[in-house]
Amino acid sequence: MGLRLGELVERLGGQLVGDPELYVAGIAPLTDAGASHISFLSNSKFRSQAGQSQAAALIVSANDDATVAETYKGARIVVKNPYVYFARAAQVFEAQTAYVRPAGVHPTAYVDPAASVDATAHIGPKVVVEAGAVIGAGVVLDAGCYIGRDAQVGEGTHFFANVTFHSKCVIGKRGIIHSGAVIGTDGFGFANDGGVYVRIPQVGRVLIGDDVDIGANTTLDRGALADTIIEDGVKLDNQIQIGHNCHIGAHTAMAGCVGVAGSAKIGKYCTFGGAAMILGHLTIADHVHISSGSLVSRSIAEPGQYTGFYPLAKNSDWEKSAAIVRNLPTMRDKMRALEKTIKTKTEDEES
């Protein structure tokens, strides 16, 4: 399987420099690509690798094209964003070999008579669909998925193995939900009555927009009273925890092991590096980017890059630094007192 470069450009755009009849069978990294591959340069610091690549064609930006062309003699597709173009090209190649799950209900699946399943949906082995659930056109529920009562799943959504989807959840169109995800479980809500925890019923919903990806073993808690909301285009990696009543803005992306405590409101087009932690009841503006391992302990009102961790050091050095940090308030008071003394002496001398 593969396609001509001219056909790829017809589908995705870009300026082709080279033979449109050149055939490419797939995509490979710069250092591994061979004569039947197309590769891409998305970081200018790898220009030298691109120039020496054995790929049949390269996807490059206009800024990099002139430099790369000095040593690389293959075909080139010049585009604005090579990395995005690579992603779309990879989708084209994937579609040529992707397994299309047949429509229908597997014999080992259970679909309650009161559920509504579109005739084009795929209900895989040992899937459970409870009463009142609505499964839209083209939805794929792979082995072991559980869809609770009154749940609604939009058309073209894909669920993989062992997904648990509780009641009062709505998932939009073209979503992809990976293995082990749990959507709509109870949020962590308890009232403390003299040391005894009293459970607070979680009666809200989880509302998920269109084109949302949810990674393996990621959990989205339903709201306590209001809803947990995931807007269109959000991308969540594996093993992420989204607490109850959170609101994640459109096209925000989170890497693995991010934790978002309850009632946090996160804006649109934000990014969160792996293992970042966001405390509850905070508000984060649009276009905020949080570095990996950072702890967000206050609301952020302005867009930009934020980092909140202490650089790695030997433990003995870290302990010394920690001792200095603990003494900063005392040091500040001493400096203020010294500044005051100097100021007083200076005024006395001048007078």
Side-chain angles (χ1 to χ4, degrees), residues 65-90:
D65 182 51
T67 302
V68 170
E70 292 177 359
T71 54
Y72 176 75
K73 303 307 178 183
R76 306 184 306 281
I77 300 177
V78 184
V79 298
K80 182 178 180 180
N81 189 326
Y83 196 66
V84 171
Y85 198 94
F86 147 70
R88 299 196 184 283

Side-chain angles (χ1 to χ4, degrees), residues 18 36 60 62 68 83 101 117 126 142 150 152 162 178 198 224 239 322 337 344 348 350:
S36 63
V60 297
V68 170
Y83 196 66
R101 294 168 177 80
V117 178
K126 299 184 179 181
D142 245 339
D150 303 318
Q152 298 181 43
N162 302 316
H178 288 276
V198 180
Q239 299 181 334
T344 300
D348 290 343
E350 290 178 349

Side-chain angles (χ1 to χ4, degrees), residues 36-37 48 73 80 110 152 171 184 215 218 236 250 285 323 331 338 347:
S36 63
H37 295 122
S48 60
K73 303 307 178 183
K80 182 178 180 180
Y110 169 76
Q152 298 181 43
I171 291 185
T218 284
L236 302 179
M331 295 171 63
L338 180 60
E347 290 174 350

Side-chain angles (χ1 to χ4, degrees), residues 157-214:
T157 300
H158 290 234
F159 285 82
F160 297 97
N162 302 316
V163 173
T164 301
F165 183 20
H166 292 278
S167 60
K168 297 183 179 179
C169 299
V170 179
I171 291 185
K173 302 174 183 177
R174 299 176 300 276
I176 298 177
I177 317 297
H178 288 276
S179 302
V182 180
I183 302 170
T185 190
D186 277 2
F188 191 68
F190 298 90
N192 191 321
D193 183 13
V196 176
Y197 289 104
V198 180
R199 178 179 172 273
I200 301 171
Q202 307 291 292
V203 298
R205 302 174 296 173
V206 174
L207 305 181
I208 299 176
D210 297 341
D211 303 301
V212 171
D213 286 30
I214 298 175

Side-chain angles (χ1 to χ4, degrees), residues 279-295:
L279 299 190
H281 300 274
L282 301 183
T283 298
I284 296 177
D286 297 344
H287 297 284
V288 167
H289 307 288
I290 305 298
S291 299
S292 298
S294 295
L295 172 64

